[in-house]
Amino acid sequence: MGTMSQESALIEQVIEQPDSLVISPPSDLSSYNHIQPFVYLEGDNDNDSKTTTSQTNHNVLLILNQKITIDLISLWNKCEIIVCADGGADSLYEYFSNNNNNHHHPNLQRSDYIPDYIVGDFDSISPDVKAYYQSHGSKTIRQSSEYYNDFTKSIHCIQLHYQLNHENGNWFESVNNVDGLAKLWDSLDHTNRGIDITIYVLNAIGGRFDQTVQSINQLYIMNKIYPTVTVFFITVNDIIFLLKKGVNYVSFTNRLTFHKDDGLPPTCGLLPLSNSTPIVLTSYGLKYDMRNWKTEMSGKVSSSNRISGETGFIVECSDDIVMNIEIDV
Amino acid sequence: MGTMSQESALIEQVIEQPDSLVISPPSDLSSYNHIQPFVYLEGDNDNDSKTTTSQTNHNVLLILNQKITIDLISLWNKCEIIVCADGGADSLYEYFSNNNNNHHHPNLQRSDYIPDYIVGDFDSISPDVKAYYQSHGSKTIRQSSEYYNDFTKSIHCIQLHYQLNHENGNWFESVNNVDGLAKLWDSLDHTNRGIDITIYVLNAIGGRFDQTVQSINQLYIMNKIYPTVTVFFITVNDIIFLLKKGVNYVSFTNRLTFHKDDGLPPTCGLLPLSNSTPIVLTSYGLKYDMRNWKTEMSGKVSSSNRISGETGFIVECSDDIVMNIEIDV
């Protein structure tokens, strides 16, 4: 009998839901992963000074090398520190040359938006841009190692900043310019729980496809190595993040924060890109809700799904899986 | 002894090669997959009439719904038939509104570039665009089924065209407007070997991330179901295709066809996105050539690699794997 009911519970199902649902948070508060992807779009976006949304969580903006096509300023103002990976500094510099970006913020001054750190092998940053930001106070950390990419070097920099900067604002000056960040990071005691850091990354997705896939690869790897670091990739189309093995509750103030009302709920996808598939999904609050639904590449993938939950939804997954949610404001 | 040499042959290695190498095709002509991704950029690009590069292979252009950012005309002229998936027709129409696209071809007329078929559920094509192309001779095939996406519907249309159009130019008129293409395709006798078709797909990659991943998923699935259909996804950054299990020889006239000489060889990646990993790779002709190199997501992925082979390279893989090559002309 027990076996019977277990079997029936494992029947694979897709349930078409109404466009609007109210989903309560999971009942056991201690045992789920709570994700709030749109905090950076909520609240005081037009405040022109850097603020933090929370005293307990550190928000960081990381800019990679590609043209910036989103409204940068709202995100900038939510972040404690800003890091440019190599040519990401050129992208930032260029952003202030393009008047099209500035209709929300007509009085933008390049000199008011200076990154805290510029990190990388410096094979793509232009000398003028580097000189400009150095003269305005950016800390430049050259790391020539080909073993680490600019993204990974930047992650080391961000974590070291939170471990060391409050003791010594010049902590980076003694690192060697090959792989000093990695060496310094490895030398520290990581036995205590890591620091909670949320990193919003621009330009990691949507350029050359091998870079896109490497970014996704790093998303999986970072979750294993640094479980207290949360990464959101932001593109002009969507936000991309990891749902962790177990129960995930994704919440927001309301759907209008990230999706203008066009009569249809916001679009999303659940993307089984890891080496550990199939993944079994059960969801509450999606348009096409799944029960024990097996997903894998070369098989079934939930794309063009939609979010019916007015303030959030729940996804239970048998292993880490990538999610994207359309941003359309 | 035999065991020893087998073991040493299986040692995982990365060999840094010079920027320029000449790689001969694999010796056993019958047993490799020959891929020529840049045929569409070679030869008579500026010929303003539709031509086929080969009498034995059918080239098709499939346009999905996203802004067209590449030089469309060279590709158009290499293709026998053109198919727009739903709002892809709007993308095509818009292309001829944008003078920025036309500096290579200043006398472009929208009315000279009429797609052969427009296929999909027609929830995104605008009525004016549909009427325009219908009045200029496009065949519109509405398929409202939600079970198939517009990409899959278009693939059915393309294959049916090559099976049926020479007998009856109005073959599509009797299909039902829900899932008639799929039904008609299933009803045909597929016991003979399929027809060799090469499909160049625009706008499948680089938009919303769930659509990008679903395109890659379909690339794997189509290779299983339709092994005689070759798919190339073309973006503003690169070309993306499948290397098949076994030996693959990727060749081109020379690297300048797709990569301007900036002192570095063209960039590429090998991307293990299937459900069957790790994949073991051995390559000849890449900057970072691999021997028995195990790749998987959440592990090692070859990104930012480069092509050293002047006219081609060889990749042997233990299972199907996605490859991208940067286009930078």
Side-chain angles (χ1 to χ4, degrees):
Chain A
M1 292 306 214
T3 312
M4 270 298 284
S5 63
Q6 199 165 12
E7 273 173 13
S8 72
L10 291 176
I11 287 173
E12 217 174 341
Q13 272 188 300
V14 175
I15 299 157
E16 187 169 349
Q17 302 283 14
D19 285 354
S20 173
L21 287 171
V22 175
I23 302 294
S24 303
S27 48
D28 181 358
L29 287 165
S30 62
S31 67
Y32 65 85
N33 178 34
H34 189 187
I35 305 171
Q36 296 171 283
F38 301 107
V39 166
Y40 79 98
L41 291 173
E42 293 164 353
D44 55 339
N45 292 344
D46 291 324
N47 185 335
D48 270 355
S49 65
K50 272 194 211 181
T51 56
T52 359
T53 50
S54 151
Q55 293 303 316
T56 55
N57 196 359
H58 301 290
N59 294 329
V60 177
L61 173 60
L62 172 57
I63 303 175
L64 307 189
N65 188 7
Q66 217 174 281
K67 191 177 176 192
I68 299 171
T69 47
I70 68 151
D71 173 15
L72 181 68
I73 305 306
S74 315
L75 184 52
W76 185 290
N77 290 337
K78 294 283 186 185
C79 290
E80 281 182 353
I81 65 166
I82 317 291
V83 178
C84 290
D86 201 356
D90 286 46
S91 310
L92 177 64
Y93 190 92
E94 281 303 311
Y95 183 79
F96 294 94
S97 305
N98 186 347
N99 287 322
N100 292 333
N101 294 322
N102 302 348
H103 60 282
H104 290 302
H105 312 276
N107 299 317
L108 283 186
Q109 295 287 336
R110 178 180 287 138
S111 56
D112 291 336
Y113 296 91
I114 304 299
D116 297 278
Y117 296 97
I118 304 176
V119 185
D121 57 9
F122 294 169
D123 65 348
S124 57
I125 190 173
S126 59
D128 291 355
V129 169
K130 187 161 156 246
Y132 175 85
Y133 285 122
Q134 280 178 324
S135 74
H136 284 76
S138 295
K139 297 160 182 168
T140 53
I141 308 178
R142 177 155 178 263
Q143 295 283 280
S144 62
S145 167
E146 290 193 17
Y147 187 76
Y148 304 96
N149 62 26
D150 288 338
F151 180 75
T152 311
K153 292 167 188 173
S154 302
I155 299 297
H156 283 142
C157 172
I158 291 164
Q159 295 186 295
L160 287 164
H161 170 90
Y162 283 107
Q163 288 236 345
L164 302 176
N165 198 65
H166 60 282
E167 291 170 11
N168 173 11
N170 295 322
W171 61 269
F172 56 92
E173 286 183 348
S174 56
V175 305
N176 79 57
N177 65 10
V178 179
D179 57 359
L181 289 178
K183 287 238 165 71
L184 178 54
W185 174 254
D186 289 343
S187 75
L188 295 181
D189 178 7
H190 301 298
T191 48
N192 292 326
R193 194 170 175 275
I195 298 167
D196 285 322
I197 306 173
T198 296
I199 308 179
Y200 298 96
V201 188
L202 296 188
N203 303 334
I205 304 285
R208 231 174 53 220
F209 195 58
D210 56 306
Q211 292 178 322
T212 291
V213 174
Q214 190 63 271
S215 297
I216 295 295
N217 190 37
Q218 296 299 325
L219 188 64
Y220 283 110
I221 291 172
M222 283 185 61
N223 182 49
K224 282 188 207 158
I225 310 180
Y226 314 125
T228 62
V229 176
T230 302
V231 173
F232 294 108
F233 295 128
I234 296 177
T235 82
V236 70
N237 300 298
D238 47 14
I239 187 165
I240 298 158
F241 53 94
L242 204 66
L243 301 179
K244 299 188 189 194
K245 178 178 178 172
V247 178
N248 296 270
Y249 174 51
V250 181
S251 76
F252 30 84
T253 310
N254 70 69
R255 296 184 293 183
L256 291 172
T257 307
F258 56 95
H259 181 71
K260 66 171 180 280
D261 188 4
D262 59 2
L264 286 170
T267 309
C268 68
L270 290 153
L271 311 169
L273 296 171
S274 75
N275 61 347
S276 170
T277 57
I279 291 174
V280 182
L281 296 176
T282 290
S283 67
Y284 303 92
L286 300 183
K287 178 72 189 174
Y288 300 97
D289 255 342
M290 295 158 277
R291 301 286 185 272
N292 308 304
W293 199 74
K294 281 196 190 117
T295 180
E296 63 187 319
M297 294 296 282
S298 313
K300 303 196 303 285
V301 172
S302 177
S303 63
S304 298
N305 206 330
R306 290 181 183 273
I307 295 171
S308 293
E310 289 283 353
T311 58
F313 57 89
I314 294 168
V315 179
E316 193 176 340
C317 44
S318 65
D319 209 336
D320 301 346
I321 189 167
V322 171
M323 173 157 214
N324 77 315
I325 300 177
E326 184 176 24
I327 298 176
D328 175 25
V329 283
Chain B
M1 292 303 214
T3 312
M4 270 298 282
S5 63
Q6 201 167 10
E7 273 174 12
S8 71
L10 291 176
I11 288 172
E12 217 174 341
Q13 272 187 299
V14 175
I15 299 158
E16 186 169 350
Q17 302 283 14
D19 285 355
S20 173
L21 288 171
V22 175
I23 302 294
S24 303
S27 48
D28 180 359
L29 288 164
S30 61
S31 67
Y32 64 86
N33 177 35
H34 190 188
I35 305 170
Q36 296 171 283
F38 302 107
V39 167
Y40 80 98
L41 291 172
E42 294 165 351
D44 56 339
N45 292 344
D46 291 324
N47 184 335
D48 269 355
S49 65
K50 271 195 210 179
T51 57
T52 0
T53 51
S54 151
Q55 293 304 312
T56 54
N57 196 359
H58 301 291
N59 294 328
V60 177
L61 173 60
L62 172 56
I63 303 175
L64 307 188
N65 189 7
Q66 216 174 284
K67 190 177 176 192
I68 299 172
T69 47
I70 69 151
D71 173 15
L72 180 69
I73 305 306
S74 314
L75 184 52
W76 185 290
N77 290 336
K78 295 283 186 184
C79 290
E80 281 182 355
I81 65 166
I82 317 291
V83 178
C84 290
D86 201 355
D90 285 46
S91 309
L92 178 63
Y93 190 92
E94 281 302 312
Y95 183 79
F96 294 94
S97 305
N98 185 348
N99 287 323
N100 291 334
N101 294 321
N102 302 348
H103 61 280
H104 290 303
H105 312 276
N107 299 315
L108 284 186
Q109 296 286 335
R110 177 180 287 138
S111 57
D112 290 336
Y113 295 91
I114 303 299
D116 297 278
Y117 297 96
I118 304 175
V119 184
D121 57 9
F122 294 171
D123 65 348
S124 57
I125 191 173
S126 59
D128 290 354
V129 169
K130 186 159 156 244
Y132 175 84
Y133 285 122
Q134 279 178 323
S135 74
H136 284 75
S138 295
K139 296 159 182 168
T140 53
I141 307 179
R142 177 155 178 264
Q143 295 282 281
S144 63
S145 167
E146 289 193 18
Y147 187 76
Y148 303 97
N149 63 25
D150 288 338
F151 180 75
T152 310
K153 291 168 189 172
S154 302
I155 299 298
H156 283 142
C157 171
I158 291 163
Q159 294 187 294
L160 286 165
H161 170 90
Y162 282 107
Q163 286 235 347
L164 303 175
N165 199 64
H166 62 281
E167 291 170 12
N168 174 10
N170 295 321
W171 62 268
F172 57 93
E173 287 183 348
S174 56
V175 306
N176 78 57
N177 65 11
V178 179
D179 59 359
L181 289 177
K183 287 238 164 70
L184 178 54
W185 175 254
D186 290 342
S187 74
L188 296 180
D189 178 7
H190 300 298
T191 49
N192 292 327
R193 192 168 176 275
I195 299 166
D196 285 322
I197 306 173
T198 296
I199 308 179
Y200 298 96
V201 188
L202 296 189
N203 303 334
I205 305 286
R208 229 175 53 220
F209 196 58
D210 56 308
Q211 292 178 320
T212 290
V213 173
Q214 189 62 273
S215 297
I216 296 294
N217 190 36
Q218 295 299 325
L219 188 64
Y220 283 109
I221 291 173
M222 284 186 61
N223 182 49
K224 282 188 206 158
I225 311 179
Y226 314 125
T228 63
V229 176
T230 302
V231 173
F232 294 108
F233 295 128
I234 297 177
T235 82
V236 71
N237 299 299
D238 47 13
I239 187 165
I240 299 158
F241 53 94
L242 203 66
L243 300 179
K244 300 187 189 194
K245 179 179 178 173
V247 179
N248 297 268
Y249 175 50
V250 180
S251 76
F252 30 84
T253 310
N254 70 69
R255 296 182 293 185
L256 290 171
T257 307
F258 57 95
H259 181 71
K260 65 170 179 282
D261 187 3
D262 60 1
L264 286 170
T267 310
C268 68
L270 290 153
L271 311 169
L273 296 170
S274 75
N275 60 347
S276 168
T277 58
I279 291 175
V280 182
L281 296 175
T282 290
S283 67
Y284 303 92
L286 301 183
K287 178 72 188 175
Y288 300 97
D289 256 342
M290 295 158 277
R291 301 285 187 271
N292 308 305
W293 200 75
K294 281 195 191 119
T295 180
E296 62 187 320
M297 294 296 282
S298 313
K300 302 195 305 285
V301 171
S302 177
S303 64
S304 299
N305 206 330
R306 290 182 182 273
I307 295 171
S308 292
E310 289 283 354
T311 58
F313 58 88
I314 294 168
V315 179
E316 194 177 337
C317 43
S318 65
D319 209 336
D320 301 346
I321 189 167
V322 171
M323 174 157 213
N324 77 315
I325 300 177
E326 184 176 24
I327 297 176
D328 174 24
V329 282

